Amino acid sequence: MQFTAFERAKQGTGASRRLRNTGRTPAIVFGGTTAPAVVELDHNSLWFALKKESFHSALLDMELNGNTEKVVLRNVQYHPFKPLVLHVDFQRVDENTRVRKKVPLHFINAEHSPAVKQDKCLVNHALTEVVIDCLAMQIPEFITVDLGNAVKGQSIHTNDLVLPAGAKLVIHGKPNPGIATLVEPKEEIIAAPVAAAAGDKKKKKK
């Protein structure tokens, strides 16, 4: 995914505020062998890019002064209540850079699984994303979790994920946590003694 950045001449709180008033968002690009660069981005283009899942997890191509650099999104600061991006951080990467990134999980084929199709089970999602440690050039946009063969009562765990070569999961706490479980739907219990209660009231009136 590609985006365009522009050199930013002035820094500081006041300069950033004036920049935002013109429809631009201040940002910084760090990492690599060169000094950090202060840049600015078109706010509307950035706002819609941030709505795309891949902008957060995948490798990005940043065009600056006619040159293209590989970067990853590191941090986004939003206004507390306005639809406004206050600041963005990017990290330069190359083929030797190793990073940790949150990667979304895409669940597929659940509707075709024996658990859902035959036993009418529901998919209970425990995780929708995981953190992986890998080379920047191997960051996947998402990790697919195929539930096509899932059966009733089955639990899918992080050890079941297929990761890019050389990548590893970053797990905190319990090892091999659950990702999803195929559970039977709970039957609704409807309280029925309404008619009987009405009959009791008539008897009391007599």
Side-chain angles (χ1 to χ4, degrees):
M1 188 173 179
Q2 187 170 357
F3 69 96
T4 302
F6 307 90
E7 280 190 342
R8 177 158 52 105
K10 296 182 179 180
Q11 301 181 50
T13 304
S16 294
R17 187 184 304 112
R18 289 189 293 272
L19 188 66
R20 295 185 193 102
N21 290 337
T22 65
R24 299 277 184 153
T25 300
I28 189 169
V29 187
F30 62 89
T33 57
T34 55
V38 289
V39 298
E40 59 187 67
L41 293 83
D42 177 75
H43 182 270
N44 286 343
S45 298
L46 175 63
W47 180 262
F48 288 107
L50 287 168
K51 291 183 179 296
K52 297 179 180 179
E53 186 180 70
S54 59
F55 196 79
H56 294 262
S57 58
L59 198 62
L60 305 172
D61 292 317
M62 183 188 73
E63 184 182 342
L64 177 64
N65 293 334
N67 298 316
T68 300
E69 293 183 290
K70 298 289 185 182
V71 300
V72 292
L73 179 65
R74 274 309 184 192
N75 189 48
V76 184
Q77 297 177 28
Y78 293 96
H79 192 278
F81 55 87
K82 294 180 182 179
L84 181 67
V85 181
L86 299 178
H87 195 274
V88 189
D89 295 356
F90 295 99
Q91 178 187 352
R92 298 187 191 95
V93 296
D94 58 26
E95 62 275 4
N96 298 315
T97 308
R98 199 166 185 93
V99 296
R100 290 187 175 188
K101 287 288 287 179
K102 287 183 179 180
V103 178
L105 301 176
H106 284 193
F107 296 87
I108 64 171
N109 295 326
E111 67 277 13
H112 303 304
S113 68
V116 175
K117 196 170 184 179
Q118 298 173 15
D119 297 312
K120 311 302 180 186
C121 289
L122 302 175
V123 183
N124 183 16
H125 298 95
L127 294 176
T128 57
E129 62 183 16
V130 292
V131 178
I132 68 169
D133 181 301
C134 67
L135 290 172
M137 300 301 177
Q138 296 179 326
I139 301 172
E141 290 188 19
F142 56 86
I143 295 173
T144 300
V145 184
D146 192 343
L147 299 178
N149 295 317
V151 296
K152 181 174 66 175
Q154 182 178 353
S155 293
I156 314 298
H157 293 80
T158 51
N159 284 354
D160 299 315
L161 296 176
V162 179
L163 302 177
K168 60 181 181 180
L169 286 169
V170 180
I171 303 294
H172 300 289
K174 186 174 68 173
N176 195 27
I179 294 172
T181 307
L182 284 300
V183 297
E184 291 184 89
K186 293 182 179 180
E187 294 183 5
E188 292 186 10
I189 301 175
I190 301 174
V194 179
D200 290 342
K201 286 182 180 180
K202 289 181 180 179
K203 288 180 182 178
K204 287 179 181 180
K205 288 180 179 180
K206 290 179 180 181

